[in-house]
Amino acid sequence: MTPFPWPAAPGSRTTVGSAAAVPRPRTGRRPLTLLLLSALVVGWGGGTAGWPGPRWRVWERALEDQLLVLRGPRRPPGRVVVVPVDDTTLQQGSWFEQNRQVPDWARGISTLPWPRAAYGQVAARLLDAGAAAVAINVVFEGPSRNGPADDAAMEAILRTHPGRIVLAAEMLESSDQQGSGALTLVRPELFLAAIGGPEVIGLTNTPLREPGGRLLHPEAYGRGLLPAQGVKPFPSLSASLLQRAGRSSRQNDALTALNAYGPEGSFRRLPAWEVLDPSRWRRHPQRADLAGALVVLGPVVSQGDDGYPTAFGSLSGLELLATATANSLQGDGLRSWPAGNRERALLVALVLLLAAGLALARRSLPWRLGVIGAVLGLQLVGAGWALWQRQLWLPLLAPAAGLGLLALVHSGDAYLLEERERRRLRRTFERYVAPGVVAEILADPEAAQGILRGRLLDVTVLFSDLKGFTELTRQRSLAGQSELHVSQLNTYLGAMVEVITAHGGIVDKFIGDAVMAVFGSPVGRGVMVEARAAVACAQAMRQALVKLNHDWEEQGLTRLDSGVGLASGQVVVGQIGSPRRMEFTVIGDTVNLAARLEGLTRSLKTSVLFDRTTAERQDPAFAAPVSLGLQPVKGMGEIEVFRPAEPADRADEASAAATEPAL
């Protein structure tokens, strides 16, 4: 059997395998373009992570806030207690005034600012209950509006608890007519001697949260912004509270952002009026829990949309002071990791480089999307774990965006490769099989490649050859009728191809006037279906030839006769040949047997012959194939051969069945 020529496509290379050589198109400059685009994405991602623009920082903070909300509120430390002068406290004072029965402890507590002595009394009772220190989040500037007696009462309380009540100071910023700024420290001058000196005060200033920035720890103002403006560092109120309580911060507060524990009211609260009311305070259930507590005391009224913005909403100044104290106490403030711009850029670039390198390991679209998706998933899990468990903010938006771009670049490249490969396979298979079969094969390109490389299939092979055609060829050649001869042969072969295709067979090749067809390759409908279709096809080919002969007789042309041999069994299917001359075909003993059976049709005076395997696969509901006994087959010994049942055979079977005696 001589395979038909299949030259390699111009500009292609050939990959030679163990069973076949499959031409593949050149990729040209595609790898270089892909590497260049990947490098651009890696560089962009690293640069954006290290030196983000204003809008990018806003998006990054928004993503961080969403992750914090997803994490949910945390339980703040029980050692930090908030004692607010809140709406309920003011209402309690108003109730006494309306009833004109104001006890001494409730005088002046219905409005803000409160009497300074009232703050002192609350602080004193908290300290007497076991609190380690109390910070009052109110700046006592100048004399009290309630008169010298109020200041004197406050001073007496401060002297009774030296160094344990921390007072607030504030740095005011102003500008002159020339626009130059000036800083003025406002502090409780009247009480410096009573509290033990300037070291028992702390700043209430907190850097404002700018768009794209975090809400920084108050220490960032006194230890960071002030020295940058040439002013001596000054501790925050929370830092002074920790110091007076004998505690130290577990983090570098000046470099951290506040990590809110939840919305307003997350800390344990003890309304100020409940501490001031002697009868209520004596039996208060929380009094025993104040041992060693760090207490922040100050006014808290309805904030609305005012206050300090966090992921959980706005916080009051007192809640912010408690959050800063708790963050320092537990060391759980938010920090960026890596801290440096270059380090962040390098980290993101390495992540993107890793994803790009792994994606390039294979060319399939699922692999590339899977790799990049896996890296993105690991990054999200890692960033979430670092934020929730270690209070570290890893770069997330830039690498996620970079991975998205890499997915577009690599998936686009993989799609183009797969589409090119699909077109190549389609062109290859369309040479051999029907378009519908091609679509089925290309549904799984990997399987299609396996078909081309070679595999075992159970099929039915059909051989058809014209009887006496060699002698007819010689006669017409001598008579100068070669063109007529070729035309008649082509008409015959065209009709046979139509019949084979209609029955689901694949024309494997033409060998002169012979036709070889395969049923069940490269995809099959089941061995039983294929064998029955092959026998039906052989009979239909005979019927088609009868019609052709009738037409040729009317045209005065010579009649043609053919023989058909069929055999079923395993064959090797694949592309076979050299890189420059290949064919998709089947080889094996089954092919040889079908060819030998076709030759036997001449000596046995029948048109169609097939082996026992093909006979056993026929539908038992119809007339059984007729056995012609054991016949010698060249190179294979004696083999039982069969022919299809004909109308006469069916009549004989019906007559025999009618004459059988009833049981």
Side-chain angles (χ1 to χ4, degrees):
M1 304 173 190
T2 305
F4 59 88
W6 182 16
S12 68
R13 61 182 175 85
T14 304
T15 303
V16 181
S18 59
V22 183
R24 293 185 181 273
R26 292 187 182 273
T27 56
R29 297 182 179 179
R30 182 196 56 80
L32 182 60
T33 302
L34 181 61
L35 290 175
L36 179 60
L37 290 175
S38 299
L40 289 175
V41 173
V42 170
W44 174 85
T48 303
W51 298 273
R55 186 172 297 276
W56 196 267
R57 287 197 297 269
V58 172
W59 294 340
E60 184 87 6
R61 293 289 77 76
L63 180 59
E64 180 181 306
D65 286 347
Q66 289 302 313
L67 286 179
L68 290 173
V69 171
L70 182 63
R71 179 201 67 186
R74 300 175 299 146
R75 176 176 296 180
R79 290 173 293 174
V80 179
V81 180
V82 175
V83 179
V85 179
D86 54 6
D87 291 336
T88 59
T89 298
L90 301 180
Q91 292 169 4
Q92 189 72 14
S94 298
W95 184 85
F96 282 116
E97 290 180 356
Q98 291 172 3
N99 288 274
R100 299 182 180 179
Q101 295 178 355
V102 183
D104 292 340
W105 64 266
R107 295 186 186 279
I109 69 169
S110 62
T111 59
L112 292 175
W114 252 26
R116 295 176 179 179
Y119 285 110
Q121 290 175 17
V122 173
R125 290 182 179 180
L126 293 170
L127 292 172
D128 292 340
V134 177
I136 301 177
N137 192 32
V138 178
V139 179
F140 298 136
E141 179 185 7
S144 171
R145 71 171 189 170
N146 294 310
D150 187 29
D151 288 330
M154 180 62 175
E155 183 177 0
I157 293 172
L158 294 174
R159 291 186 183 278
T160 305
H161 301 84
R164 298 178 65 191
I165 300 177
V166 183
L167 300 184
E170 184 178 13
M171 190 69 72
L172 298 180
E173 300 182 11
S174 60
S175 58
D176 54 22
Q177 296 180 350
Q178 286 73 31
S180 59
L183 296 175
T184 303
L185 178 63
V186 178
R187 59 182 186 175
E189 301 289 349
L190 293 176
F191 304 120
L192 288 181
I195 61 177
E199 61 273 11
V200 194
I201 61 176
L203 289 178
T204 61
N205 299 77
T206 299
L208 295 177
R209 183 175 182 177
E210 299 179 352
R214 296 191 181 96
L215 182 60
L216 299 178
H217 193 285
E219 277 290 277
Y221 184 88
R223 302 288 184 182
L225 292 180
L226 288 183
Q229 299 183 43
V231 180
K232 183 180 179 181
F234 206 99
S236 64
L237 188 57
S238 62
S240 296
L241 176 61
L242 285 174
Q243 181 184 8
R244 304 321 299 175
R247 313 288 171 78
S248 59
S249 177
R250 297 176 59 184
Q251 63 187 17
N252 187 345
D253 293 331
L255 299 179
T256 61
L258 289 180
N259 191 3
Y261 294 91
E264 179 79 15
S266 296
F267 286 85
R268 183 156 61 105
R269 290 201 167 198
L270 184 60
W273 77 269
E274 295 183 2
V275 181
L276 278 176
D277 186 347
S279 60
R280 186 175 183 85
W281 181 241
R282 280 193 298 268
R283 60 179 184 274
H284 202 285
Q286 295 190 39
R287 182 174 178 178
D289 299 332
L290 289 174
L294 303 176
V295 182
V296 293
L297 167 64
V300 174
V301 294
S302 298
Q303 296 290 315
D305 293 332
D306 297 332
Y308 297 89
T310 69
F312 301 99
S314 295
L315 300 184
S316 64
L318 196 63
E319 189 86 8
L320 180 139
L321 175 59
T323 302
T325 304
N327 284 173
S328 300
L329 191 64
Q330 299 196 141
D332 59 357
L334 286 176
R335 292 176 289 123
S336 292
W337 188 88
N341 294 342
R342 292 182 180 178
E343 290 78 6
R344 283 197 299 272
L346 181 60
L347 174 65
V348 172
L350 288 176
V351 170
L352 297 178
L353 192 61
L354 173 64
L358 291 175
L360 286 172
R362 296 184 185 177
R363 301 193 305 173
S364 68
L365 179 60
W367 166 263
R368 292 184 175 181
L369 289 179
V371 163
I372 295 176
V375 174
L376 178 59
L378 289 175
Q379 182 210 5
L380 291 174
V381 171
W385 178 86
L387 183 62
W388 297 351
Q389 301 297 325
R390 292 290 182 262
Q391 322 308 324
L392 296 175
W393 176 250
L394 274 63
L396 183 57
L397 186 58
L403 288 171
L405 291 175
L406 283 179
L408 288 176
V409 171
H410 286 263
S411 62
D413 178 73
Y415 175 79
L416 292 176
L417 282 175
E418 289 190 2
E419 188 62 26
R420 184 182 302 172
E421 183 70 5
R422 190 180 297 272
R423 289 196 301 268
R424 185 186 69 83
L425 291 174
R426 181 179 295 278
R427 288 194 299 268
T428 299
F429 281 107
E430 281 178 346
R431 298 171 182 264
Y432 316 121
V433 298
V437 180
V438 173
E440 185 177 352
I441 294 173
L442 294 183
D444 187 353
E446 291 294 331
Q449 286 289 356
I451 292 173
L452 291 178
R453 287 191 292 269
R455 63 176 180 172
L456 281 175
L457 287 180
D458 196 329
V459 302
T460 298
V461 180
L462 180 150
F463 258 94
S464 174
D465 195 11
L466 291 174
K467 300 176 181 179
F469 195 74
T470 302
E471 178 62 21
L472 181 60
T473 301
R474 186 182 64 81
Q475 293 174 3
R476 283 180 170 174
S477 296
L478 293 175
Q481 296 178 328
S482 298
E483 185 176 346
L484 173 65
H485 190 61
V486 171
S487 175
Q488 186 178 10
L489 176 61
N490 287 340
T491 301
Y492 162 76
L493 293 176
M496 296 304 104
V497 169
E498 291 294 330
V499 174
I500 293 170
T501 302
H503 286 78
I506 303 300
V507 176
D508 186 280
K509 62 173 64 65
F510 299 112
I511 310 171
D513 59 312
V515 181
M516 174 182 169
V518 182
F519 291 78
S521 168
V523 292
R525 298 164 290 182
V527 293
M528 307 293 284
V529 174
E530 299 296 352
R532 295 168 188 174
V535 174
C537 177
Q539 294 173 302
M541 291 170 70
R542 291 290 303 165
Q543 295 171 4
L545 183 55
V546 170
K547 183 178 183 303
L548 288 175
N549 282 329
H550 181 269
D551 294 339
W552 287 332
E553 281 183 341
E554 293 181 351
Q555 300 172 22
L557 298 178
T558 305
R559 294 170 57 91
L560 300 178
D561 191 15
S562 68
V564 181
L566 302 102
S568 299
Q570 285 195 332
V571 295
V572 176
V573 182
Q575 278 196 135
I576 297 174
S578 71
R580 296 189 59 83
R581 189 179 181 89
M582 303 186 70
E583 67 175 359
F584 182 79
T585 187
V586 297
I587 58 175
D589 286 342
T590 301
V591 179
N592 297 330
L593 177 57
R596 302 287 193 276
L597 292 177
E598 184 278 324
L600 277 178
T601 59
R602 293 162 176 78
S603 60
L604 295 180
K605 307 300 182 182
T606 187
S607 300
V608 180
L609 287 177
F610 45 86
D611 64 344
R612 170 172 285 279
T613 302
T614 305
E616 291 174 346
R617 293 177 179 179
Q618 300 308 300
D619 192 343
F622 295 92
V626 179
S627 174
L628 299 181
L630 296 174
Q631 300 293 333
V633 177
K634 182 180 179 181
M636 298 184 180
E638 291 188 340
I639 294 177
E640 186 178 9
V641 298
F642 296 78
R643 66 171 175 81
E646 298 177 353
D649 300 320
R650 298 188 182 95
D652 292 342
E653 288 182 4
S655 176
T659 58
E660 285 183 0
L663 298 177

